[in-house]
């Protein structure tokens, strides 16, 4: 019988959740389960010894069942369309509140990944302010939780939203503006470190940044790597 604490990872087939799975498997300290809507998408995780638990972010009952017996849940929300061209904060709020309610009902702790923030004031960015609202909801529910605020993902460089084409990088800000970035790999490692001493991190908010980089820095790095 495996008596290691069970961690349920949401978004385990994506970049961020997948990095958390990688980091926790490397530790070997926990049993792992992945929340999936379609078990076939989690087949490779199952081959690595990760239990698959079916659940839907908009179905609280399915999440309560999936989180049953868990020591903690790594939770995320996703407001973006598959092509990252449209954002739906209302859907993100539904997802987050369902996630938080399910953790409360299952009596499990939550590590909630949201966004890097300077303070708790609205930013004017819908997909960021929705996360602020969810953090407020989390506090009202008095759920034992640690909040992670990662910067922009390095892993997005090269995707449609952050293209690299014909020797140029197209981003969202001026070429010399320094932006807080983080590799999803580092989010996974940070999550593992928080879980190493979870009780000491409950009630805290941790911003996660690998470094401050501009578009010019990214171009320089790509030029060196690719010759």
């Amino acid at each position: 019988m495996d008596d290691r604490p069970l961690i349920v990872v949401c978004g385990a087939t994506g970049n961020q959740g997948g990095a958390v799975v990688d980091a926790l498997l490397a530790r070997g300290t926990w049993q792992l389960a992945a929340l999936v809507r379609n078990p076939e998408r989690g087949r490779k995780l199952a081959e690595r010894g990760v239990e698959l638990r079916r659940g839907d972010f908009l179905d609280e009952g399915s999440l309560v069942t999936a989180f049953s017996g868990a020591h903690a849940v790594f939770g995320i929300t996703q407001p973006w369309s598959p092509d990252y061209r449209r954002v739906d904060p209302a859907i993100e709020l539904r997802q987050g509140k369902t996630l938080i309610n399910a953790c409360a009902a299952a009596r499990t702790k939550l590590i909630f990944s949201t966004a890097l923030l300077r303070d708790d004031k609205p930013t004017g960015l819908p997909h960021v302010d929705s996360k602020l609202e969810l953090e407020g909801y989390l506090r009202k529910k008095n759920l034992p939780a640690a909040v992670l605020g990662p910067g922009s993902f390095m892993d997005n460089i090269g995707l449609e939203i952050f293209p690299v084409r014909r020797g140029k990088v197209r981003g969202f800000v001026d070429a010399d503006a320094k932006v807080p970035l983080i590799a999803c790999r580092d989010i996974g490692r940070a999550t593992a470190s928080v879980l190493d001493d979870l009780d000491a991190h409950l009630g805290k908010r941790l911003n996660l940044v690998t470094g401050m980089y501009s578009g010019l820095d990214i171009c320089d790095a790509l030029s060196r790597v690719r010759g």
Side-chain angles (χ1 to χ4, degrees):
M1 180 178 177
D2 193 336
D3 58 358
R4 294 176 299 168
L6 172 68
I7 308 300
V8 178
V9 179
C10 301
T13 58
N15 283 341
Q16 186 176 183
V20 172
V21 168
D22 290 343
L24 298 187
L25 284 176
R27 283 285 212 280
T29 311
W30 301 278
Q31 297 181 69
L32 290 185
L35 182 75
V36 294
R37 281 191 299 177
N38 179 1
E40 180 58 29
R41 287 197 63 194
R43 180 172 49 83
K44 291 184 178 179
L45 292 171
E47 292 172 354
R48 299 171 67 191
V50 178
E51 178 188 354
L52 303 182
R53 295 192 173 189
R54 190 189 297 266
D56 189 315
F57 274 123
L58 302 181
D59 181 350
E60 184 175 326
S62 73
L63 295 188
V64 173
T65 299
F67 298 163
S68 175
H71 172 66
V73 171
F74 174 81
I76 58 174
T77 52
Q78 171 55 284
W80 296 96
S81 62
D83 61 3
Y84 283 89
R85 294 183 182 274
R86 298 180 305 280
V87 63
D88 191 338
I91 284 291
E92 180 168 45
L93 288 172
R94 285 182 61 195
Q95 292 173 357
K97 290 179 179 180
T98 303
L99 169 68
I100 292 165
N101 291 341
C103 285
R107 299 182 181 277
T108 185
K109 301 167 186 174
L110 174 63
I111 298 178
F112 190 35
S113 180
T114 63
L116 184 144
L117 294 169
R118 175 178 293 178
D119 50 41
D120 59 359
K121 297 176 182 177
T123 65
L125 297 172
H127 65 285
V128 175
D129 290 345
S130 55
K131 294 176 174 65
L132 261 177
E133 186 173 338
L134 287 174
E135 289 187 36
Y137 185 78
L138 180 60
R139 289 191 293 271
K140 288 180 181 177
K141 294 291 288 189
N142 201 30
L143 182 72
V147 177
L148 305 182
S152 299
F153 296 169
M154 290 182 181
D155 309 63
N156 288 341
I157 299 170
L159 299 183
E160 285 296 318
I161 59 170
F162 207 142
V164 179
R165 296 194 186 103
R166 297 178 182 176
K168 295 183 179 180
V169 175
R170 190 179 74 199
F172 302 103
V173 296
D174 291 341
D176 60 352
K178 298 282 187 177
V179 176
L181 296 178
I182 185 166
C184 285
R185 177 191 63 189
D186 290 343
I187 298 175
R189 292 172 174 176
T191 301
S193 294
V194 168
L195 278 168
D196 283 341
D197 193 4
L198 181 55
D199 287 345
H201 290 90
L202 294 177
K204 295 182 179 179
R205 190 184 201 287
L206 306 172
N207 277 333
L208 305 180
V209 181
T210 300
M212 303 290 293
Y213 304 100
S214 69
L216 296 174
D217 294 330
I218 293 168
C219 288
D220 179 62
L222 290 175
S223 295
R224 284 185 281 108
V225 169
R226 299 181 67 88

